[in-house]
Amino acid sequence: MSKILTEVLNANQAYASSFDKGHLPLPPARGFAILTCMDARLDPAKFAGLAEGDAHVTRNAGGRASDDAIRSLVISHKLLGTSEWFVIHHTDCGMELFTNEIMADLLEKSLDTAAIDANGWRDVGQGPGSTDGKYIHWLTIQNQAQSVVEDVARIRHHPLVPKYIPIYGFIYDVKTGKLMEVPEAMAAGRAV
Ligand SMILES: [Zn+2]
């Protein structure tokens, strides 16, 4: 068994041995949802004060308002009653480090993990790669504040999202742990 697999299963055994949350209802008790990045430095339960059962957290690369993120948010409200949503991007996001073209080129050469240095990304792994990367919109980020505004606005204007749900836009600072409001996103996400 791999070291990681062993560690995770051991950690779960310890967690389950004192588990006392089996009574929680399915709908989130505090009635809100967070869309944020998968970045390993972000712990929404800690930075937003969540316990099991409190809130929905949808995560993807960048915390972007992809079709699938919107799918989760619509389910979160329509079937499980959340009524306030947060979009939280963050400083030093990996999504700022490449473009659609760079990703497609890297994948075309090799599927192995690439390397980055002062000259940018390069493949150090073996081929063959795949041209399939050219067909995916990777939702990269050029400017954090702008991406928060765009994603909040996209959710706000989605036909399946009720106008009365406020959508809040923030950037999480990985150096300080602080949530920084993005005023333009807050305005774009206002409930009406
Ligand atoms: Zn990120």
Side-chain angles (χ1 to χ4, degrees):
M1 204 160 33
S2 87
K3 180 168 174 285
I4 290 172
L5 183 54
T6 306
E7 286 170 358
V8 168
L9 294 180
N10 287 344
N12 178 251
Q13 210 165 31
Y15 179 72
S17 68
S18 59
F19 188 71
D20 61 355
K21 309 280 184 183
H23 61 286
L24 293 173
L26 195 162
R30 293 172 59 198
F32 69 96
I34 293 173
L35 169 61
T36 195
C37 185
M38 67 184 187
D39 191 295
R41 295 167 293 182
L42 275 57
D43 187 341
K46 287 184 183 150
F47 77 59
L50 309 178
E52 290 94 332
D54 274 355
H56 285 145
V57 179
T58 296
R59 303 186 71 164
N60 63 32
R64 300 306 311 268
S66 61
D67 288 346
D68 195 63
I70 290 174
R71 178 185 70 89
S72 294
L73 289 170
V74 170
I75 291 169
S76 176
H77 168 71
K78 180 69 184 175
L79 302 182
L80 294 164
T82 64
S83 56
E84 297 182 45
W85 295 347
F86 293 75
V87 174
I88 303 174
H89 295 180
H90 67 98
T91 59
D92 196 36
C93 186
M95 299 299 280
E96 296 168 279
L97 303 179
F98 66 101
T99 61
N100 280 333
E101 292 69 31
I102 289 170
M103 186 62 160
D105 285 350
L106 287 169
L107 285 165
E108 192 170 4
K109 295 189 192 87
S110 169
L111 303 184
D112 297 342
T113 300
I116 189 169
D117 58 27
N119 297 317
W121 289 99
R122 66 199 158 82
D123 270 303
V124 290
Q126 306 226 313
S130 167
T131 55
D132 256 52
K134 296 179 186 194
Y135 298 89
I136 293 180
H137 189 347
W138 297 93
L139 301 175
T140 60
I141 292 173
Q142 269 72 56
N143 174 296
Q144 283 297 343
Q146 191 189 326
S147 66
V148 176
V149 173
E150 283 173 12
D151 284 2
V152 167
R154 177 161 199 249
I155 298 166
R156 170 81 296 148
H157 297 120
H158 197 282
L160 298 177
V161 174
K163 303 294 175 223
Y164 53 78
I165 293 183
I167 306 158
Y168 312 124
F170 284 87
I171 294 172
Y172 173 85
D173 187 334
V174 297
K175 292 267 193 283
T176 65
K178 285 185 182 164
L179 287 174
M180 302 177 292
E181 193 177 298
V182 179
E184 200 186 331
M186 298 297 269
R190 240 190 347 250
V192 291

